Structure formats: structure tokens, C-alpha cells
Amino acid sequence: MARSPSGESVLTRAVRIFEAFGPDRSVLSLSELSRRADLPLATTARLVDELTRHGLLSRDELRRVCVGTRMWELAERASPVLGLRQAALQSMHDLQAVVGHSTQLGILDSDQVLFVERLAVPGSTPNVTRTAGRLPLHASASGLVLLAHAPADIRDRVVQGPLPGFTEATLREEHALRRALAEVRDRGFAFCPGHIHPDATGIAVPVRTRGRVVAALGLVVPNDDVAWSLIRPLQVAGLHLSRALDTAQVS
Amino acid sequence: MARSPSGESVLTRAVRIFEAFGPDRSVLSLSELSRRADLPLATTARLVDELTRHGLLSRDELRRVCVGTRMWELAERASPVLGLRQAALQSMHDLQAVVGHSTQLGILDSDQVLFVERLAVPGSTPNVTRTAGRLPLHASASGLVLLAHAPADIRDRVVQGPLPGFTEATLREEHALRRALAEVRDRGFAFCPGHIHPDATGIAVPVRTRGRVVAALGLVVPNDDVAWSLIRPLQVAGLHLSRALDTAQVS
């Protein structure tokens, strides 16, 4: 594989370019991109030119750079999460219509929750999740569900930390976290009042395919006395989605 | 940029790898991939190894290759179509709940319709569209809407063909196509009974942001006498989505 003087391959540098973009940084000037990707300006310019020729990046009328439609198309049309997402959308909408709060679907990826779909209710409870966004496993309700059902080696690695705190309520101690995980397996849901934001409660349930937990379905609702009453509708939606996945044979 | 003996850059070859995957080909053996990407087996193996290390590809338990979660995440989190898709999902679900047929949202990309979202009703009308799938502009209802409002140079290029046929009803002649486009602009919708499949009718309406057509919202319904009655609900959903986009300031 061809390498730069620093020993990095072209592909590694291209990945660095794409990693510089994010939900809040979807349009970048060439110099911002060079800084965020930690690549020389000339290298960045050359890579952006070639990636733009392939449609993987594009430039707006101000010559700023953004991710190209072709990049989205190549990733999405054979997406490893497309089947799960499409099967889940109906259950998520039904749930959202009934409870009136944001719903999200997360999978376990690289010791984090990766949210593959999110239906937001604008202006409702504070909610830091985004589609294709990530959260630590120990801090979020979806993360606790995924961690509770993860292989033992992943669970042991994660509970030993680091366990960064978001609020006073975040589980930051191995023993408390292990107890919480046992409770999630036992009760069939995770209930996290104020774990990520003091005003929000995260609730999540497992989504199964042929008995195996493949995702967590979650709600973000106000941190108040009503939150408990939303566990049951969420559980119903989770069972419904699991059944739909079994029928569709999405793995 | 580093080049192979054939003069192709690493990035060009990596794009060829990703292009080999598709909705019906989401898992490929190394030799299938090599054949479909038209690259030597050793080159393919080396590229797959490096792309797998970056998480852009992954391998299943049978060592077959598929698109990686990281590739999806990088494309999706700064996706150029994320804002449009998320704004559209609610309108699409409301429409689907009322009419009970598959709904889809398409944009104009490289002289084709690229479908950025699709809510399917399983087992309903024959429907060839897929999320991140494409159709020719002249043949589909969504395509006619996008073409009718496209810049004159794109319109002139497309109407001069080639105009491949799907059925007897596909518009394959420049004059008829130009007349159909004028009618779409005039009436505010495209109505295409049997243009892609004899048993299906495509209907589509423009989606506007600040007056400019940015997408087409479409329905695929049975090709029967009821199809006409579904134009009005689709128009209402299209206006609703346009208003939501103006409020959200998605461009």
C-alpha cells in the first residue's frame, strides 16, 4: 500500500478526512479540515480533490467541503444496519405516536452504543443522542441494556473503566455498575433518571433476533414521576420489534 | 497520489471495491468481490485487509466481506441527506398510515433519482425502489417531478436520451416526455400508471425549500381506478413536508 513520508497510507489519510466531519461539523473549509484531520494543507487539498472527483466529498458554492452524496449512497445501499433500521422504523413511530417522546435504536459497536436510528420530538426533553452518534455503554440506558447482554469479555473490560461521569447520577463505580447490569437482565429494562442530563430519564429495552440481543430500543423522557409509566409501552414496542425481526430474518 | 501499475490510485480502487456491493449483494466472497470490482485477487485481498482494519469493511464468520459499520457511521453522521430524511420521516409515516402504500423520497443526483428514504408496505404493489437505490429520471414519477423542475441544461440532456423502456407505458420519445414534464409543472404532480411495472402506478409531488424543488415525495400504489384518489393526500403530505423543511431551514 502506498505511504506518505509519515508512513501513513492514502486510505488512512482519507479516513482521517472523513473523521473530521461530524453532526455539528458537516461543512468545513479546507483549512479547518486540514487542522481537524491533522494533515498538511497541501495533502488535504490533494486528497479533497481526488475524493471530490469520486463524489465521496463535495464542495458548496463557498468552496467549503462536505461529505458527498455518493459516499452516503455507497455506505447506505449495502449498509450493515439497513435491515435493522427499516424493520425498526414502524415500531419506533408507533411508540413515538403513543408516548410523544424521542425514540432511538442503538447497537453495540467498539465498546460504545452506536445509534442507528433516532426519531426526535423537537423541543422535548434534553437529548444528546443523534443518528450515527455514540454514547458510552455505562452512562446511557441503551448502553446498559447492550452491556448487560454483551459477551463476558466486553463486559469485564468496560466495567473496569474508565467510567466518565455526565451527572451526579452516572454509574461510575464497578460494583454499582455490575449490580445495575444484573438488574437490567433480571427486570428486562434499564431505567436511568438523570444519568446523562439531570432533566432527562433514559429508558431502554433489549431487541432480540432468535433470542440473541442485537439492539436496544430507547426512550428519552422528562425526569419526573411519570417516567416509570412509560416502561410498559416501551417493552411492548421492544417485543413487537423483536418479533418483526424474527419474521424478517434480519440478523 | 500513489498509483498501481495500471495507473489507478488506491482511492479509485477502494471506490471500485465499495461499488461492488449493492442492496442484493451486501455480502461477497473475496473472489466474487475481486471479479465484481475487476481487480486482481491479490490487490483485492490487500485492499480488503486495510479497509477492514479501518472498520470500513468487515468479515463475517465465513470470512465473507461486507460493508462495515464504521463506513456507515462516517457517511451518515455528516450525511448531506440526513436533515432532509429526518424532516421527511414524520410526513412519510403519516402518509403511509393514511393511504397504506409504500412511500419514498427521492433527490436528483447524476441525472438519476436517488432514493434517500423509503417506507415499504411489505407484500403490497410491485416496487423496484430501495433506500439508496436509483431510477432513471424519465421512467419514474419521482424522476419526472425532479426533471420537470431541473435546470434547463440537465432537462435538455436527459430528454434527448437514451430513454430505456421498462414497460409499454414508459415515456421513450422526446416530444412526449417534454409534454409530460410541462404537465407535471402545470398540475403539480406526476402520475405514471404502469410506467415501470404494469401492475403499479407511481405518483409523485415536488418538495420545496424556500420555493426551490429539492426532492420528490412519491407513492407506489396498484395500477387501478383508485390510484387517482391518492394524488390529493400525497399533495397534502408534500406541502406539509415543504413547510417543515422551511421551518427547519434544511437546504
Side-chain angles (χ1 to χ4, degrees):
Chain A
M1 213 72 0
R3 284 172 201 284
S4 71
S6 66
E8 264 187 349
S9 78
V10 174
L11 285 175
T12 303
R13 283 174 276 152
V15 169
R16 294 252 292 277
I17 295 270
F18 284 106
E19 284 174 340
F21 294 93
D24 297 318
R25 311 292 308 193
S26 58
V27 180
L28 296 168
S29 72
L30 202 60
S31 57
E32 286 174 306
L33 184 54
S34 151
R35 200 164 49 245
R36 288 174 62 91
D38 196 16
L39 290 170
L41 192 60
T43 308
T44 309
R46 220 168 33 236
L47 268 167
V48 166
D49 275 353
E50 187 171 2
L51 291 167
T52 303
R53 272 199 303 280
H54 287 297
L56 303 184
L57 293 175
S58 69
R59 302 189 85 151
D60 69 7
E61 64 283 4
L62 301 171
R63 303 270 303 149
R64 294 175 308 178
V65 187
C66 49
V67 173
T69 311
R70 182 79 181 141
M71 173 73 180
W72 175 83
E73 181 184 7
L74 288 178
E76 183 75 19
R77 63 182 194 163
S79 158
V81 298
L82 186 61
L84 178 63
R85 243 199 74 225
Q86 296 233 322
L89 270 174
Q90 198 71 63
S91 301
M92 292 175 73
H93 267 280
D94 292 349
L95 178 64
Q96 193 197 41
V98 170
V99 304
H101 295 292
S102 300
T103 62
Q104 52 213 30
L105 186 73
I107 62 170
L108 177 65
D109 188 84
S110 307
D111 290 3
Q112 293 177 306
V113 194
L114 172 64
F115 290 99
V116 298
E117 191 55 90
R118 172 174 179 257
L119 299 182
V121 176
S124 61
T125 322
N127 184 342
V128 298
T129 61
R130 296 169 173 282
T131 301
R134 289 174 174 267
L135 277 178
L137 290 169
H138 74 284
S140 60
S142 299
L144 290 182
V145 165
L146 295 170
L147 191 55
H149 298 279
D153 59 326
I154 296 181
R155 204 157 61 230
D156 289 340
R157 184 168 63 227
V158 171
V159 297
Q160 285 165 37
L163 303 171
F166 287 76
T167 66
E168 296 288 311
T170 312
L171 298 169
R172 303 193 59 186
E173 197 271 309
E174 177 174 347
H175 185 69
L177 182 52
R178 284 200 188 269
R179 204 172 48 217
L181 295 176
E183 214 172 82
V184 166
R185 281 190 295 271
D186 196 43
R187 301 201 289 187
F189 61 86
F191 186 82
C192 302
H195 286 210
I196 287 190
H197 188 288
D199 297 341
T201 293
I203 321 173
V205 297
V207 174
R208 290 181 164 88
T209 306
R210 293 181 289 278
R212 191 169 59 90
V213 173
V214 293
L217 181 65
L219 276 175
V220 178
V221 307
N223 185 1
D224 61 23
D225 292 347
V226 183
W228 272 98
S229 68
L230 301 173
I231 296 170
R232 292 252 165 83
L234 178 60
Q235 287 181 299
V236 173
L239 289 174
H240 183 254
L241 173 52
S242 299
R243 215 173 292 277
L245 286 174
D246 274 341
T247 311
Q249 301 226 302
V250 173
S251 68
Chain B
M1 213 75 353
R3 283 169 202 285
S4 71
S6 65
E8 264 187 349
S9 78
V10 174
L11 286 175
T12 302
R13 282 174 276 151
V15 168
R16 295 251 294 274
I17 295 270
F18 284 105
E19 284 174 341
F21 294 93
D24 297 319
R25 311 293 307 194
S26 58
V27 181
L28 296 169
S29 73
L30 203 60
S31 58
E32 286 174 308
L33 184 52
S34 151
R35 199 164 50 244
R36 287 174 62 91
D38 196 17
L39 290 170
L41 192 61
T43 308
T44 307
R46 220 166 37 235
L47 267 167
V48 166
D49 275 352
E50 187 173 2
L51 290 166
T52 303
R53 273 199 303 280
H54 288 295
L56 304 184
L57 293 176
S58 69
R59 302 191 85 150
D60 68 9
E61 63 282 7
L62 301 172
R63 304 267 307 148
R64 293 175 309 177
V65 187
C66 50
V67 173
T69 311
R70 183 79 182 139
M71 174 71 180
W72 176 83
E73 181 184 8
L74 288 178
E76 183 75 17
R77 64 181 194 163
S79 157
V81 299
L82 186 61
L84 177 64
R85 243 198 75 225
Q86 296 234 321
L89 270 174
Q90 199 70 64
S91 301
M92 292 174 72
H93 267 282
D94 292 349
L95 177 64
Q96 194 195 43
V98 171
V99 304
H101 295 292
S102 301
T103 63
Q104 51 212 32
L105 185 72
I107 62 170
L108 178 64
D109 189 83
S110 308
D111 291 3
Q112 292 178 307
V113 195
L114 173 63
F115 290 99
V116 299
E117 190 55 272
R118 172 172 179 259
L119 300 181
V121 176
S124 61
T125 323
N127 183 343
V128 296
T129 63
R130 295 171 175 280
T131 302
R134 290 174 173 266
L135 277 179
L137 290 168
H138 73 284
S140 61
S142 298
L144 290 182
V145 164
L146 294 170
L147 191 56
H149 296 280
D153 58 325
I154 296 181
R155 204 156 63 228
D156 289 341
R157 185 169 60 229
V158 172
V159 296
Q160 283 165 36
L163 303 170
F166 287 74
T167 65
E168 296 287 310
T170 313
L171 298 169
R172 303 194 59 187
E173 195 272 309
E174 176 175 346
H175 185 69
L177 181 52
R178 285 199 187 268
R179 205 173 46 216
L181 295 176
E183 213 170 82
V184 167
R185 283 189 295 271
D186 196 43
R187 301 199 290 186
F189 61 85
F191 187 82
C192 302
H195 286 209
I196 287 191
H197 188 289
D199 297 341
T201 293
I203 322 175
V205 297
V207 175
R208 290 181 164 88
T209 307
R210 294 182 290 279
R212 192 169 58 90
V213 173
V214 294
L217 181 65
L219 278 174
V220 177
V221 306
N223 186 2
D224 61 23
D225 292 346
V226 183
W228 272 97
S229 68
L230 301 172
I231 296 171
R232 291 253 164 84
L234 178 60
Q235 286 182 299
V236 172
L239 289 174
H240 184 256
L241 172 53
S242 299
R243 216 174 291 278
L245 287 173
D246 274 340
T247 310
Q249 300 225 304
V250 173
S251 66

XYZ file of all heavy atoms in Angstrom, chain B residues 27-62:
281
model
N -23.155 -9.077 0.920
C -22.093 -9.955 1.425
C -21.450 -10.656 0.224
O -22.147 -11.258 -0.586
C -22.659 -11.021 2.397
C -21.542 -11.900 2.928
C -23.403 -10.363 3.549
N -20.130 -10.540 0.085
C -19.429 -11.110 -1.065
C -18.199 -11.894 -0.597
O -17.512 -11.462 0.336
C -18.951 -9.989 -2.001
C -20.017 -9.124 -2.690
C -19.357 -7.916 -3.358
C -20.785 -9.935 -3.725
N -17.916 -13.000 -1.273
C -16.641 -13.688 -1.011
C -15.540 -12.854 -1.655
O -15.794 -11.998 -2.506
C -16.664 -15.086 -1.626
O -16.561 -14.987 -3.030
N -14.289 -13.112 -1.245
C -13.172 -12.350 -1.788
C -13.091 -12.497 -3.306
O -12.839 -11.518 -4.016
C -11.867 -12.836 -1.129
C -10.704 -11.853 -1.146
C -11.047 -10.568 -0.426
C -9.476 -12.497 -0.502
N -13.359 -13.700 -3.817
C -13.232 -13.883 -5.263
C -14.385 -13.209 -6.012
O -14.185 -12.619 -7.070
C -13.126 -15.370 -5.619
O -14.248 -16.064 -5.139
N -15.593 -13.264 -5.423
C -16.701 -12.519 -6.045
C -16.379 -11.028 -6.085
O -16.627 -10.334 -7.067
C -17.993 -12.695 -5.232
C -18.680 -14.032 -5.351
C -19.864 -14.133 -4.386
O -19.699 -13.881 -3.161
O -20.957 -14.457 -4.860
N -15.838 -10.535 -4.976
C -15.518 -9.111 -4.861
C -14.473 -8.724 -5.903
O -14.606 -7.709 -6.596
C -15.019 -8.833 -3.442
C -14.725 -7.389 -3.063
C -15.898 -6.480 -3.372
C -14.375 -7.301 -1.578
N -13.441 -9.560 -6.017
C -12.376 -9.322 -6.992
C -12.958 -9.253 -8.409
O -12.628 -8.368 -9.199
C -11.338 -10.431 -6.865
O -10.686 -10.680 -8.080
N -13.866 -10.178 -8.708
C -14.470 -10.224 -10.042
C -15.355 -9.005 -10.280
O -15.256 -8.333 -11.297
C -15.286 -11.518 -10.165
C -15.597 -11.927 -11.580
C -16.061 -13.382 -11.671
N -17.115 -13.687 -10.715
C -16.978 -14.568 -9.722
N -15.853 -15.228 -9.541
N -17.985 -14.793 -8.889
N -16.223 -8.706 -9.295
C -17.165 -7.592 -9.476
C -16.455 -6.237 -9.507
O -16.915 -5.309 -10.159
C -18.230 -7.607 -8.369
C -19.248 -8.746 -8.538
C -20.208 -8.828 -7.362
N -21.004 -7.631 -7.208
C -22.185 -7.429 -7.766
N -22.715 -8.358 -8.524
N -22.838 -6.302 -7.569
N -15.339 -6.107 -8.768
C -14.594 -4.844 -8.758
C -13.593 -4.786 -9.909
O -12.971 -3.751 -10.139
C -13.873 -4.667 -7.430
N -13.445 -5.921 -10.636
C -12.497 -6.014 -11.744
C -11.081 -5.643 -11.293
O -10.402 -4.820 -11.898
C -12.959 -5.110 -12.900
C -12.250 -5.467 -14.209
O -11.680 -6.577 -14.288
O -12.260 -4.636 -15.133
N -10.661 -6.269 -10.202
C -9.316 -6.057 -9.647
C -8.679 -7.425 -9.422
O -9.386 -8.387 -9.116
C -9.403 -5.337 -8.294
C -9.832 -3.866 -8.286
C -10.102 -3.400 -6.864
C -8.774 -2.992 -8.950
N -7.329 -7.526 -9.561
C -6.673 -8.811 -9.290
C -6.971 -9.279 -7.862
O -7.155 -8.452 -6.963
C -5.181 -8.476 -9.432
C -5.129 -7.219 -10.235
C -6.387 -6.470 -9.949
N -7.002 -10.589 -7.670
C -7.356 -11.151 -6.364
C -6.407 -10.662 -5.266
O -6.848 -10.310 -4.162
C -7.334 -12.692 -6.443
C -7.953 -13.423 -5.248
C -9.418 -13.065 -5.075
C -7.815 -14.940 -5.421
N -5.091 -10.605 -5.567
C -4.113 -10.187 -4.548
C -4.339 -8.728 -4.153
O -4.283 -8.372 -2.964
C -2.689 -10.375 -5.068
N -4.614 -7.883 -5.136
C -4.901 -6.463 -4.867
C -6.148 -6.345 -4.010
O -6.201 -5.581 -3.043
C -5.140 -5.710 -6.204
O -4.055 -5.975 -7.080
C -5.296 -4.223 -5.977
N -7.181 -7.116 -4.382
C -8.435 -7.091 -3.631
C -8.193 -7.508 -2.190
O -8.655 -6.840 -1.259
C -9.460 -8.048 -4.289
O -9.570 -7.720 -5.677
C -10.824 -7.925 -3.639
N -7.427 -8.594 -1.994
C -7.164 -9.104 -0.642
C -6.446 -8.047 0.199
O -6.780 -7.827 1.362
C -6.325 -10.383 -0.721
N -5.452 -7.372 -0.412
C -4.681 -6.356 0.309
C -5.579 -5.172 0.695
O -5.534 -4.680 1.817
C -3.525 -5.884 -0.576
C -2.244 -5.671 0.157
C -1.035 -5.526 -0.753
N -1.347 -4.797 -1.975
C -1.107 -5.278 -3.214
N -0.560 -6.452 -3.376
N -1.406 -4.553 -4.273
N -6.391 -4.726 -0.267
C -7.285 -3.588 -0.003
C -8.328 -3.946 1.060
O -8.623 -3.149 1.943
C -8.004 -3.182 -1.290
C -7.329 -2.088 -2.100
C -7.974 -2.007 -3.488
C -7.450 -0.737 -1.396
N -8.888 -5.164 0.952
C -9.901 -5.596 1.928
C -9.284 -5.630 3.323
O -9.895 -5.185 4.290
C -10.484 -6.974 1.541
C -11.261 -7.589 2.709
C -11.383 -6.840 0.314
N -8.026 -6.109 3.415
C -7.358 -6.142 4.723
C -7.253 -4.746 5.316
O -7.571 -4.530 6.478
C -5.945 -6.744 4.593
C -5.992 -8.260 4.652
O -7.081 -8.794 4.936
O -4.956 -8.888 4.400
N -6.785 -3.808 4.497
C -6.608 -2.461 5.055
C -7.957 -1.812 5.374
O -8.134 -1.200 6.425
C -5.771 -1.562 4.141
C -5.500 -0.252 4.885
C -4.530 0.712 4.204
O -4.050 0.406 3.098
O -4.283 1.781 4.796
N -8.934 -1.966 4.496
C -10.259 -1.359 4.746
C -10.921 -1.995 5.969
O -11.651 -1.336 6.699
C -11.146 -1.500 3.496
C -10.709 -0.636 2.293
C -11.413 -1.072 1.010
C -10.963 0.846 2.564
N -10.649 -3.289 6.176
C -11.205 -3.976 7.351
C -10.559 -3.460 8.637
O -11.233 -3.279 9.655
C -11.014 -5.505 7.219
O -11.629 -5.933 6.001
C -11.646 -6.246 8.388
N -9.243 -3.202 8.584
C -8.563 -2.636 9.763
C -9.176 -1.295 10.157
O -9.237 -0.950 11.331
C -7.062 -2.443 9.490
C -6.224 -3.685 9.788
C -4.748 -3.360 9.973
N -4.163 -2.681 8.815
C -3.773 -3.313 7.696
N -3.880 -4.614 7.601
N -3.261 -2.620 6.695
N -9.645 -0.521 9.164
C -10.278 0.774 9.455
C -11.768 0.625 9.800
O -12.436 1.611 10.087
C -10.154 1.712 8.255
C -8.770 2.230 8.045
N -8.156 3.051 8.950
C -7.870 2.031 7.048
C -6.938 3.356 8.504
N -6.743 2.738 7.364
N -12.299 -0.607 9.724
C -13.721 -0.821 10.012
C -14.628 -0.430 8.855
O -15.844 -0.443 8.985
N -14.033 -0.068 7.701
C -14.851 0.349 6.556
C -15.457 -0.870 5.858
O -16.490 -0.776 5.202
C -14.023 1.182 5.575
C -13.353 2.429 6.174
C -12.648 3.227 5.076
C -14.362 3.328 6.886
N -14.792 -1.996 5.989
C -15.359 -3.284 5.585
C -15.332 -4.175 6.817
O -14.610 -3.909 7.773
C -14.532 -3.936 4.467
C -14.516 -3.268 3.100
C -13.556 -4.011 2.168
C -15.920 -3.232 2.476
N -16.122 -5.250 6.810
C -15.945 -6.246 7.864
C -16.128 -7.632 7.260
O -16.577 -7.770 6.126
C -16.887 -5.997 9.037
O -18.203 -6.262 8.668
N -15.724 -8.647 8.000
C -15.816 -10.029 7.500
C -16.697 -10.815 8.442
O -16.642 -10.631 9.656
C -14.416 -10.634 7.397
C -13.527 -9.786 6.472
C -12.230 -10.473 6.134
N -12.404 -11.370 5.005
C -11.434 -11.674 4.127
N -10.229 -11.179 4.268
N -11.660 -12.496 3.129
N -17.550 -11.682 7.867
C -18.439 -12.480 8.708
C -17.745 -13.775 9.120
O -16.554 -13.985 8.824
C -19.803 -12.701 8.026
C -19.701 -13.594 6.802
O -18.625 -14.188 6.554
O -20.705 -13.704 6.079
N -18.501 -14.651 9.803
C -17.880 -15.860 10.342
C -17.377 -16.787 9.226
O -16.512 -17.626 9.443
C -18.837 -16.572 11.308
C -20.131 -17.086 10.700
C -21.198 -15.983 10.476
O -20.923 -14.787 10.671
O -22.313 -16.363 10.072
N -17.892 -16.612 7.994
C -17.414 -17.401 6.856
C -16.321 -16.666 6.077
O -15.987 -17.040 4.957
C -18.589 -17.728 5.915
C -19.745 -18.511 6.538
C -20.924 -18.591 5.578
C -19.265 -19.907 6.926
